[in-house]
Amino acid sequence: MSRPPSRLSIAPTQRRHALDERICRMICPIAAAMVGVCLTGIGLLHVGIAWGRRASFADDLLAIDSLLFLVATLASYLSLRSPAPRQHATLHRMEQVADATFILAMLLLTAACFVITYAVSA
């Protein structure tokens, strides 16, 4: 009966690769769902504008945000699809791009929420 290797017996580079892959597997579906959230927000803002509310630049922020989430989704997807043994450096670069754009997009989404909140209450 063979036992699976313990966490201590796995080389640090293998652990790092497994961790990076888990991060990309999390970013990809979440970022894709956030594109839908941004597009829903844009649609709701346009409905509000059609009802006579004044336009704000919140829909522009959400449009830019949806593009950032799309970049995070594509970078995460491409890093998962790249052949790891041949292009290990490319894999890590795409993971870094996915990570950075995801965080940037989440910050922009938070800023857009503040703009929407204060535009509606004003």
Side-chain angles (χ1 to χ4, degrees), residues 1-49:
M1 182 187 298
S2 69
R3 293 177 22 176
S6 71
R7 185 164 171 83
L8 297 176
S9 66
I10 298 174
T13 56
Q14 289 175 334
R15 274 186 281 172
R16 177 176 165 79
H17 178 67
L19 177 64
D20 291 343
E21 187 174 322
R22 283 194 319 237
I23 291 170
C24 281
R25 288 186 189 275
M26 285 177 23
I27 289 176
C28 193
I30 294 170
M34 295 309 290
V35 171
V37 169
C38 291
L39 294 176
T40 301
I42 291 170
L44 291 173
L45 286 172
H46 281 273
V47 167
I49 291 168

Side-chain angles (χ1 to χ4, degrees), residues 43-115:
L44 291 173
L45 286 172
H46 281 273
V47 167
I49 291 168
W51 282 357
R53 291 245 181 211
R54 61 188 170 101
S56 71
F57 75 102
D59 56 343
D60 297 333
L61 287 177
L62 289 174
I64 293 168
D65 203 26
S66 66
L67 289 175
L68 287 174
F69 279 121
L70 181 62
V71 168
T73 302
L74 292 175
S76 177
Y77 177 77
L78 291 174
S79 71
L80 289 171
R81 298 292 294 170
S82 71
R86 283 194 349 226
Q87 299 178 356
H88 199 63
T90 303
L91 173 71
H92 285 294
R93 183 70 186 141
M94 294 304 284
E95 289 168 348
Q96 291 172 345
V97 168
D99 216 13
T101 54
F102 183 76
I103 296 299
L104 180 64
M106 289 301 289
L107 291 171
L108 186 60
L109 183 60
T110 303
C113 288
F114 276 105
V115 169

